[in-house]
PDB file of all heavy atoms in Angstrom:
ATOM      1  N   GLU A 337      11.778  23.989 -26.715  1.00  0.00           N
ATOM      2  CA  GLU A 337      11.133  24.217 -25.419  1.00  0.00           C
ATOM      3  C   GLU A 337       9.670  23.773 -25.455  1.00  0.00           C
ATOM      4  O   GLU A 337       9.025  23.783 -26.498  1.00  0.00           O
ATOM      5  CB  GLU A 337      11.209  25.695 -25.038  1.00  0.00           C
ATOM      6  CG  GLU A 337      12.623  26.228 -24.861  1.00  0.00           C
ATOM      7  CD  GLU A 337      13.345  25.629 -23.676  1.00  0.00           C
ATOM      8  OE1 GLU A 337      12.685  24.975 -22.844  1.00  0.00           O
ATOM      9  OE2 GLU A 337      14.575  25.807 -23.571  1.00  0.00           O
ATOM     10  N   GLY A 338       9.150  23.425 -24.292  1.00  0.00           N
ATOM     11  CA  GLY A 338       7.736  23.082 -24.163  1.00  0.00           C
ATOM     12  C   GLY A 338       7.452  21.633 -24.517  1.00  0.00           C
ATOM     13  O   GLY A 338       8.326  20.877 -24.929  1.00  0.00           O
ATOM     14  N   GLY A 339       6.191  21.223 -24.346  1.00  0.00           N
ATOM     15  CA  GLY A 339       5.782  19.859 -24.658  1.00  0.00           C
ATOM     16  C   GLY A 339       6.081  19.513 -26.102  1.00  0.00           C
ATOM     17  O   GLY A 339       5.879  20.332 -26.998  1.00  0.00           O
ATOM     18  N   ILE A 340       6.534  18.309 -26.347  1.00  0.00           N
ATOM     19  CA  ILE A 340       6.991  17.930 -27.685  1.00  0.00           C
ATOM     20  C   ILE A 340       5.824  17.708 -28.631  1.00  0.00           C
ATOM     21  O   ILE A 340       5.764  18.284 -29.717  1.00  0.00           O
ATOM     22  CB  ILE A 340       7.865  16.670 -27.614  1.00  0.00           C
ATOM     23  CG1 ILE A 340       9.093  16.909 -26.724  1.00  0.00           C
ATOM     24  CG2 ILE A 340       8.312  16.240 -29.016  1.00  0.00           C
ATOM     25  CD1 ILE A 340       9.884  15.648 -26.420  1.00  0.00           C
ATOM     26  N   LEU A 341       4.888  16.849 -28.235  1.00  0.00           N
ATOM     27  CA  LEU A 341       3.794  16.454 -29.121  1.00  0.00           C
ATOM     28  C   LEU A 341       2.495  16.595 -28.346  1.00  0.00           C
ATOM     29  O   LEU A 341       2.089  15.689 -27.634  1.00  0.00           O
ATOM     30  CB  LEU A 341       4.001  15.011 -29.603  1.00  0.00           C
ATOM     31  CG  LEU A 341       3.235  14.513 -30.822  1.00  0.00           C
ATOM     32  CD1 LEU A 341       3.722  13.127 -31.223  1.00  0.00           C
ATOM     33  CD2 LEU A 341       1.728  14.468 -30.615  1.00  0.00           C
ATOM     34  N   THR A 342       1.855  17.731 -28.473  1.00  0.00           N
ATOM     35  CA  THR A 342       0.623  17.993 -27.725  1.00  0.00           C
ATOM     36  C   THR A 342      -0.572  18.237 -28.637  1.00  0.00           C
ATOM     37  O   THR A 342      -1.652  18.578 -28.162  1.00  0.00           O
ATOM     38  CB  THR A 342       0.805  19.206 -26.799  1.00  0.00           C
ATOM     39  OG1 THR A 342       1.135  20.362 -27.589  1.00  0.00           O
ATOM     40  CG2 THR A 342       1.914  18.962 -25.773  1.00  0.00           C
ATOM     41  N   SER A 343      -0.395  18.071 -29.954  1.00  0.00           N
ATOM     42  CA  SER A 343      -1.478  18.344 -30.903  1.00  0.00           C
ATOM     43  C   SER A 343      -1.420  17.349 -32.052  1.00  0.00           C
ATOM     44  O   SER A 343      -0.356  16.809 -32.373  1.00  0.00           O
ATOM     45  CB  SER A 343      -1.355  19.772 -31.456  1.00  0.00           C
ATOM     46  OG  SER A 343      -0.120  19.933 -32.141  1.00  0.00           O
ATOM     47  N   VAL A 344      -2.580  17.118 -32.674  1.00  0.00           N
ATOM     48  CA  VAL A 344      -2.637  16.225 -33.820  1.00  0.00           C
ATOM     49  C   VAL A 344      -3.755  16.680 -34.758  1.00  0.00           C
ATOM     50  O   VAL A 344      -4.811  17.132 -34.314  1.00  0.00           O
ATOM     51  CB  VAL A 344      -2.867  14.759 -33.393  1.00  0.00           C
ATOM     52  CG1 VAL A 344      -4.181  14.591 -32.639  1.00  0.00           C
ATOM     53  CG2 VAL A 344      -2.808  13.812 -34.587  1.00  0.00           C
ATOM     54  N   VAL A 345      -3.502  16.583 -36.049  1.00  0.00           N
ATOM     55  CA  VAL A 345      -4.513  16.837 -37.076  1.00  0.00           C
ATOM     56  C   VAL A 345      -4.859  15.494 -37.698  1.00  0.00           C
ATOM     57  O   VAL A 345      -3.997  14.804 -38.238  1.00  0.00           O
ATOM     58  CB  VAL A 345      -3.982  17.809 -38.148  1.00  0.00           C
ATOM     59  CG1 VAL A 345      -5.015  17.978 -39.270  1.00  0.00           C
ATOM     60  CG2 VAL A 345      -3.648  19.159 -37.524  1.00  0.00           C
ATOM     61  N   SER A 346      -6.123  15.108 -37.599  1.00  0.00           N
ATOM     62  CA  SER A 346      -6.550  13.777 -38.034  1.00  0.00           C
ATOM     63  C   SER A 346      -7.432  13.802 -39.275  1.00  0.00           C
ATOM     64  O   SER A 346      -8.070  12.805 -39.611  1.00  0.00           O
ATOM     65  CB  SER A 346      -7.290  13.071 -36.887  1.00  0.00           C
ATOM     66  OG  SER A 346      -8.342  13.884 -36.401  1.00  0.00           O
ATOM     67  N   GLU A 347      -7.444  14.925 -39.967  1.00  0.00           N
ATOM     68  CA  GLU A 347      -8.288  15.092 -41.154  1.00  0.00           C
ATOM     69  C   GLU A 347      -8.006  14.031 -42.225  1.00  0.00           C
ATOM     70  O   GLU A 347      -8.907  13.645 -42.973  1.00  0.00           O
ATOM     71  CB  GLU A 347      -8.062  16.492 -41.733  1.00  0.00           C
ATOM     72  CG  GLU A 347      -8.886  16.827 -42.957  1.00  0.00           C
ATOM     73  CD  GLU A 347     -10.349  17.103 -42.646  1.00  0.00           C
ATOM     74  OE1 GLU A 347     -10.677  17.299 -41.449  1.00  0.00           O
ATOM     75  OE2 GLU A 347     -11.161  17.147 -43.594  1.00  0.00           O
ATOM     76  N   PHE A 348      -6.778  13.547 -42.292  1.00  0.00           N
ATOM     77  CA  PHE A 348      -6.369  12.679 -43.397  1.00  0.00           C
ATOM     78  C   PHE A 348      -6.069  11.249 -42.928  1.00  0.00           C
ATOM     79  O   PHE A 348      -5.330  10.529 -43.592  1.00  0.00           O
ATOM     80  CB  PHE A 348      -5.129  13.273 -44.085  1.00  0.00           C
ATOM     81  CG  PHE A 348      -5.326  14.693 -44.525  1.00  0.00           C
ATOM     82  CD1 PHE A 348      -4.960  15.757 -43.702  1.00  0.00           C
ATOM     83  CD2 PHE A 348      -5.907  14.980 -45.749  1.00  0.00           C
ATOM     84  CE1 PHE A 348      -5.156  17.064 -44.096  1.00  0.00           C
ATOM     85  CE2 PHE A 348      -6.109  16.287 -46.157  1.00  0.00           C
ATOM     86  CZ  PHE A 348      -5.736  17.337 -45.330  1.00  0.00           C
ATOM     87  N   GLU A 349      -6.649  10.837 -41.821  1.00  0.00           N
ATOM     88  CA  GLU A 349      -6.303   9.535 -41.244  1.00  0.00           C
ATOM     89  C   GLU A 349      -6.999   8.366 -41.928  1.00  0.00           C
ATOM     90  O   GLU A 349      -6.657   7.212 -41.665  1.00  0.00           O
ATOM     91  CB  GLU A 349      -6.635   9.523 -39.751  1.00  0.00           C
ATOM     92  CG  GLU A 349      -8.106   9.592 -39.446  1.00  0.00           C
ATOM     93  CD  GLU A 349      -8.396   9.667 -37.947  1.00  0.00           C
ATOM     94  OE1 GLU A 349      -7.421   9.797 -37.179  1.00  0.00           O
ATOM     95  OE2 GLU A 349      -9.570   9.592 -37.566  1.00  0.00           O
TER      96      GLU A 349
END
Side-chain angles (χ1 to χ4, degrees):
E337 298 293 348
I340 300 170
L341 197 173
T342 60
S343 61
V344 60
V345 176
S346 53
E347 181 74 14
F348 306 93
E349 67 184 7

